[in-house]
Amino acid sequence: VDHQKADWVSIHERICQLLIPVRTSLPFLISEEERKHGVEQLVKRQKYIIDLTYSTAQKFIWDGKHEKAMPAALHALRFSTEVYGSSSVRLIPAYLLLAEVCIGVGHLLQASKYLSQAQWIVLRTPDCSTAVQHRLHRSLGLLCAAEGNFEQALYHLANDIYLASSTFGLKSIETSGGCFHMANIFFRQNKMDIADSLYAEV
């Protein structure tokens, strides 16, 4: 009952009516053209649900409500898997979102599992974009920082900053996020000169 309530508050209330046409089977006695159109509409609806569940979970995270974000993030992964398959690069945003939620609620082992899935997809996708890779390294850096493994966290955040700057530019908002998280680690290590210089850069 508690899980049903959490799911309803997080996302289900918003997608309940959207799920009806997605879960309804196509009539058997229809033409090939009608069936093709039906499949296109189904995928369109599923993609809309992916966007809605992802953005809803992201908003909860920004508000610091990580537990409320979990059901929405799980739906984002579920529908992404249905639309794109289990090994598509398009699943990575959902895995990273779930990892961020898990880090926020202190479930570091589960966060590590989600990030391992994302890493596995990146490793078997030779042409994976640097934009995706920078986001993966940032998530890995944040997990290591949460675990207290600061050296490994700095390694991943350095990769994050390098990849983000090569894609978006050194002075971009995307790059500044990595600098901010790196500054936080130096702050926790009481290396204030380095931390202050990075905060100033941000």
Side-chain angles (χ1 to χ4, degrees), residues 44-115:
K44 190 175 180 180
R45 289 189 182 103
Q46 287 174 317
K47 286 181 177 179
Y48 177 77
I49 292 172
I50 291 168
D51 291 341
L52 181 59
T53 52
Y54 185 92
S55 62
T56 301
Q58 190 71 73
K59 187 178 185 308
F60 278 126
I61 291 171
W62 289 336
D63 291 342
K65 300 172 181 175
H66 291 80
E67 285 188 10
K68 287 188 176 181
M70 179 64 79
L74 285 167
H75 279 296
L77 177 61
R78 177 184 174 187
F79 281 99
S80 295
T81 305
E82 284 184 21
V83 173
Y84 303 115
S86 60
S87 59
S88 170
V89 173
R90 290 173 181 262
L91 267 63
I92 291 176
Y95 278 127
L96 299 186
L97 187 69
L98 279 162
E100 190 173 355
V101 171
C102 289
I103 292 168
V105 296
H107 298 162
L108 303 186
L109 183 60
Q110 189 60 47
S112 178
K113 289 178 181 177
Y114 286 129
L115 290 177

Side-chain angles (χ1 to χ4, degrees), residues 13-33:
E13 184 178 16
R14 299 185 66 185
I15 64 171
C16 193
Q17 292 302 311
L18 299 172
L19 292 174
I20 296 169
V22 169
R23 296 292 175 232
T24 304
S25 300
L26 289 171
F28 184 71
L29 297 172
I30 59 173
S31 68
E32 185 63 33
E33 189 176 325

